[in-house]
Amino acid sequence: MIQVLFVCLGNICRSPLAEAIFSDLLREKGLNKLVSCNSAGTAGYHIGENPNPRTIDTARKNSIPINHKGRQFASGDFNNFHYVIVMDSSNLRDVLYKGGERGKNVFLMRYFDPSDRNSEVPDPYYGGQSGFDNVFDILSRSCEGLLKYIETHHNLNEH
Ligand code: 4NP
């Protein structure tokens, strides 16, 4: 099983939404027996909490099931996850500080966004619903790109 971990700061907005979108995509493509995912935050503020209510609303209005409890990223996660996908450069710095190698098992999410491969997934926490809608669109494109990358690198197209 190829394991993917999405990482943001609080693990209540961006990374649980990425987890929900990517899980939905894996089910849709019939790849959920070969690839799985989870999410975590670099901070410990929201351990054990549900995603933010605006995150849940955003998933539900796009018909994506969402179910996650906040957990904090730890260096041991590098043993369990083949890919650690971070949302912004501050997450990248925090994760690389704990190990991992950029471009090998650690990537910025928007590296997989064909519309803008050099940007970050902006933190929507202090903004309004439009910020969440924007994050949803970015994550949807990036999840498609990430899955294509994994399919290519692990020859999953033959299954
Ligand atoms: P996230 O957003 O990293 O996308 O989950 C945030 C959630 C909580 C906080 C900051 C960002 N916070 O400061 O509690």
Side-chain angles (χ1 to χ4, degrees), residues 96-117:
L96 291 179
Y97 182 71
K98 300 205 169 189
E101 195 179 317
R102 187 174 183 188
K104 184 167 173 259
N105 58 352
V106 179
F107 294 86
L108 273 162
M109 183 63 159
R110 291 194 80 177
Y111 176 71
F112 304 104
D113 179 354
S115 80
D116 188 351
R117 287 163 58 87

Side-chain angles (χ1 to χ4, degrees), residues 8-15 45-46 123-126:
C8 62
L9 174 62
N11 193 217
I12 53 171
C13 299
R14 293 165 292 175
S15 63
Y45 316 136
H46 301 284
D123 185 345
Y125 187 63
Y126 293 105

Side-chain angles (χ1 to χ4, degrees), residues 50-110:
N50 287 320
N52 187 273
R54 295 168 296 168
T55 309
I56 295 174
D57 286 350
T58 305
R60 290 216 177 120
K61 81 176 183 189
N62 288 284
S63 307
I64 307 270
I66 184 160
N67 180 25
H68 179 76
K69 297 281 187 225
R71 62 189 287 280
Q72 187 170 15
F73 180 79
S75 50
D77 286 326
F78 285 119
N79 300 326
N80 301 323
F81 294 93
H82 301 84
Y83 295 101
V84 173
I85 310 290
V86 299
M87 301 296 139
D88 63 31
S89 54
S90 126
N91 310 148
L92 181 65
R93 185 198 56 216
D94 292 344
V95 159
L96 291 179
Y97 182 71
K98 300 205 169 189
E101 195 179 317
R102 187 174 183 188
K104 184 167 173 259
N105 58 352
V106 179
F107 294 86
L108 273 162
M109 183 63 159
R110 291 194 80 177

Side-chain angles (χ1 to χ4, degrees), residues 30-48:
L31 290 170
N32 51 332
K33 297 265 181 334
L34 299 173
V35 187
S36 75
C37 68
N38 201 338
S39 66
T42 56
Y45 316 136
H46 301 284
I47 293 170

